[in-house]
Amino acid sequence: MYFPKRPTFNPSGLLVGLCFLSLVSISTFWHLQRNDSYSWWWTISVKNTSDPPEHEHMTPSVSSIRNKDGGMWTVNSLGRLGNQMGEYATLYGLAKLNGHQAYILPAMHQKLAPIFKLTLPMIPSELVDKIPWRKYHLHDWMSEEYRHIEGKYVQLTGTPCSYTFYDHLRHEIRQEFAFHDYIKEDANRYLLQVRGQRKTVTYIGVHVRRGDYITVMPNTWKGVVADKSYLDKAMNYFREKYHDAVFVVASNGMAWCKENMDASRGDVYFAGDGQESSPERDFALIAHCNHTIMTIGTFGIWASYLAGGETVYLANYTLPDSPFLKLFKPSAAFLPEWIGIPADLSPLLPKS
Ligand SMILES: *[C@@H]1O[C@H](CO)[C@@H](O)[C@H](O)[C@H]1NC(C)=O
Ligand SMILES: *[C@@H]1O[C@H](CO)[C@@H](O)[C@H](O)[C@H]1NC(C)=O
């Protein structure tokens, strides 16, 4: 267990933040009562510059909400880390494209703000239900009609996670998902430890998604998860390419990884803690490596996107008639330069 406890959490900072938030909501509520219209929104102006730097990971809460007539766009807050990131980035991309200011819901803020230095402001929870949202459902790839979404108060819905919504803003999206310093430092400290006395190393982050997918993939989606043979091929690809490759493995099925990944060369580190309730440690570790081996899931897609190196992914892991393919377009999920290794689907075929 390489990560120390989160060092900078400070309950008094939380208290100050809470008081601050309630002040904001009381005053906005007052405006709301008085004006009896939605013009209250433009009367709120809150600065967060007073937050001391050691509370960095608590911000941004309500940052500067000062908007003349850009309306307010948001996105639903569904799923865990990878999905939330996909929703955030899609909102960021589409709001910008349509010329509106993006805000996130409190639930999303709660999931993402402790990990990343987000810049989108949060909507105070008291206000969320008072806004006449137009809900607008998205499928998981960019479409022409998404360039012209009508509405001043739009709430995007769905669980989009496709680079086609935001890759033209890659630099900005990476900035949005810049890690808080203490998380970054923890990851780097661990990687230095792995390096030990070696002169050079090339870090390959390996994310092995197991858990619920082991049953969900075959039972619901006519698909498979990554097997031993996929991991061998992917690791050998990097071993051949980089003589100094070391593999940093994170998984929610570490026992399986230890049994199935060949660590006999001394270049495999079973590093992650696999804690699904606090995924940021494993996530940061993979994202700080130079290259990525991913298996299935948006967690791996995002860790690969942030790492920004070569990415090897498991391709074609469902049967062609899988209902999964109605929701998920591989060409919109995996970047064109990523390297796909096709899955072995034989476990799904009838045994003769
Ligand atoms: C590889 O990753 C490490 C850790 O993040 C970083 O320090 C190093 O600069 C990276 N190497 C290259 C060639 O990008
Ligand atoms: C996945 O299947 C499609 C359709 O059969 C094929 O065109 C593609 O090359 C396959 N991808 C990989 C990485 O094998």
Side-chain angles (χ1 to χ4, degrees), residues 122-324:
M122 181 189 85
I123 309 169
S125 50
E126 297 82 355
L127 303 183
V128 172
D129 294 334
K130 300 202 165 69
I131 296 167
W133 297 113
R134 175 184 181 214
K135 300 222 168 161
Y136 190 98
H137 189 72
L138 299 171
H139 52 225
D140 202 359
W141 52 92
M142 184 59 189
S143 283
E144 185 52 31
E145 71 258 31
Y146 297 163
R147 295 179 184 278
H148 316 283
I149 300 174
E150 299 288 326
K152 226 164 146 177
Y153 300 97
V154 170
Q155 181 170 158
L156 304 172
T157 65
T159 51
C161 186
S162 165
Y163 70 90
T164 57
F165 290 111
Y166 47 74
D167 196 44
H168 57 292
L169 305 169
R170 190 183 291 204
H171 181 71
E172 285 170 53
I173 294 298
R174 291 231 194 134
Q175 285 293 117
E176 291 299 311
F177 296 136
F179 290 95
H180 288 299
D181 295 345
Y182 78 94
I183 297 178
K184 194 192 323 200
E185 283 156 15
D186 284 345
N188 283 329
R189 196 175 311 131
Y190 181 78
L191 293 180
L192 271 181
Q193 220 171 290
V194 163
R195 176 175 172 166
Q197 301 304 310
R198 295 176 177 90
K199 279 215 177 62
T200 66
V201 278
T202 301
Y203 298 104
I204 318 294
V206 187
H207 178 246
V208 184
R209 176 76 151 83
R210 294 193 53 85
D212 56 341
Y213 273 25
I214 298 172
T215 48
V216 171
M217 281 318 292
N219 296 346
T220 310
W221 301 117
K222 297 188 187 181
V224 295
V225 296
D227 60 6
K228 174 174 171 39
S229 141
Y230 165 75
L231 290 169
D232 283 343
K233 283 180 201 156
M235 288 165 73
N236 286 337
Y237 168 82
F238 283 113
R239 281 184 178 121
E240 276 162 30
K241 187 148 181 184
Y242 303 101
H243 70 279
D244 59 356
V246 299
F247 299 91
V248 176
V249 183
S251 176
N252 57 352
M254 205 55 114
W256 182 91
C257 293
K258 287 180 180 164
E259 259 171 49
N260 289 278
M261 294 176 71
D262 177 7
S264 60
R265 294 175 181 78
D267 59 357
V268 179
Y269 293 80
F270 298 103
D273 63 11
Q275 298 225 354
E276 300 192 57
S277 57
S278 55
E280 64 272 12
R281 297 167 175 184
D282 284 4
F283 185 79
L285 203 50
I286 304 295
H288 279 84
C289 290
N290 304 108
H291 306 290
T292 318
I293 295 174
M294 56 164 285
T295 55
I296 291 187
T298 53
F299 184 106
I301 289 180
W302 273 110
S304 304
Y305 195 76
L306 297 189
E310 279 189 76
T311 298
V312 171
Y313 67 94
L314 183 68
N316 294 343
Y317 51 80
T318 63
L319 293 176
D321 65 343
S322 163
F324 191 68

